[in-house]
Amino acid sequence: MATVKDFRNDIRPNWCPGCGDFSVQASIQRALASMGKEPHEVAIISGIGCSGRISGYVNSYGFHGVHGRALPTAQGVKLANRDLTVIAAGGDGDGFGIGLNHFMHAVRRNIDITYITMDNQIYGLTKGQHSPTSAHGFKAKTTPAGNIENALVPTQIALAAGIGFLAQGFSSDVNQLVSLIEQGINYKGFALINVFSPCVTYNKINTYDFFRENVKNLDKVEGYDPTDRANAMKTIIETNGFCTGLIYRDDSRVPYQNQIPGYREEPIVKLDLNLDESVFEAALKEFA
Ligand SMILES: Cc1ncc(C[n+]2csc(CCOP(=O)(O)OP(=O)(O)O)c2C)c(N)n1
Ligand code: SF4
């Protein structure tokens, strides 16, 4: 059986020392090993950004794609091979800026993949511009006098769009994050795990201490019921999105792939798709 070591490769991440993404990488590796997955059973599909590099740092199938387009690729991979555990990953800019349209439709569509976003409230790779999740007043290179736009709250948008599994983690709490990733992978549908993953180089406001002081851990809220959608939305609004843990779960949603008429249990990649020559010739004649 695979161990955490089997999900490691020889590539040294070129993230800055202290970047929150290291913990996300380690949490994915721990979760996959503890679930008994093997590297060949997993595909990690990422967008562009510092966070997007994660697909190259885990020993599994991987695809480092185009900025904002991790989700379309990940959904295609899952539909072509339903046996794979498919994780999509990227930053807040990738997922909630350029990729927001794909995100909304992935939520609505509900294909069985797990989307892990590393939300550092800034564009790290391009050296420190404000992002869609930067707060009003946030100062960065592009907003020296303070951000005049309001922050987008990913959890609020996801819940409003009808998501079936919604969780939030923090890079400093690896045990909670590992558990959330396991739950997200086990969930039969689209799961979002948005992770507060500090950018120690460019974001001097949303630091580890900022999150320690400002985030409410729902695991510690007695009686919190993650199946109560209205209360989940109320919690997000009251905390302005700064809460961690399992926020909402609805097991009654039927995943997309279970509703496609004739969609086989056997993955498409395992089917023999070769055409008999006579069938091919007949088809050519038909369309000539
Ligand atoms: C189509 C396109 N537009 C813009 C860029 C430039 N670009 C690369 S990464 C990035 C944003 C990175 O921020 P985020 O997605 O939050 O990831 P992080 O680097 O913070 O992990 C941008 C704007 C690009 N590569 N492709
Ligand atoms: S620039 Fe920020 S997000 Fe990118 S690797 Fe460095 S600390 Fe991480």
Side-chain angles (χ1 to χ4, degrees), residues 178-230:
V178 170
S179 162
L180 293 174
I181 294 172
E182 286 177 19
Q183 292 174 62
I185 290 174
N186 277 328
Y187 180 74
K188 295 278 161 257
F190 183 83
L192 172 70
I193 301 158
N194 186 50
V195 187
F196 298 124
S197 181
C199 169
V200 293
T201 302
Y202 296 113
N203 191 335
K204 303 297 181 190
I205 297 164
N206 305 114
T207 59
Y208 285 94
D209 281 346
F210 170 89
F211 290 113
R212 274 188 208 105
E213 282 157 26
N214 291 289
V215 165
K216 183 174 188 173
N217 185 349
L218 300 179
D219 290 351
K220 294 188 178 149
V221 176
E222 211 179 308
Y224 182 80
D225 176 7
T227 64
D228 183 340
R229 186 161 181 248

Side-chain angles (χ1 to χ4, degrees), residues 15 19 21 47-53 66-69 90-98 118-127 129 131-133 197 199:
W15 291 319
C19 176
D21 297 354
I48 299 293
C50 296
S51 44
R53 296 195 190 115
V66 183
H67 191 43
R69 268 67 191 178
D92 42 296
D94 193 75
F96 309 128
I98 192 169
M118 284 150 270
D119 185 358
N120 53 17
Q121 290 87 26
I122 204 154
Y123 288 180
L125 187 73
T126 46
K127 300 189 183 295
Q129 300 83 3
S131 91
T133 58
S197 181
C199 169

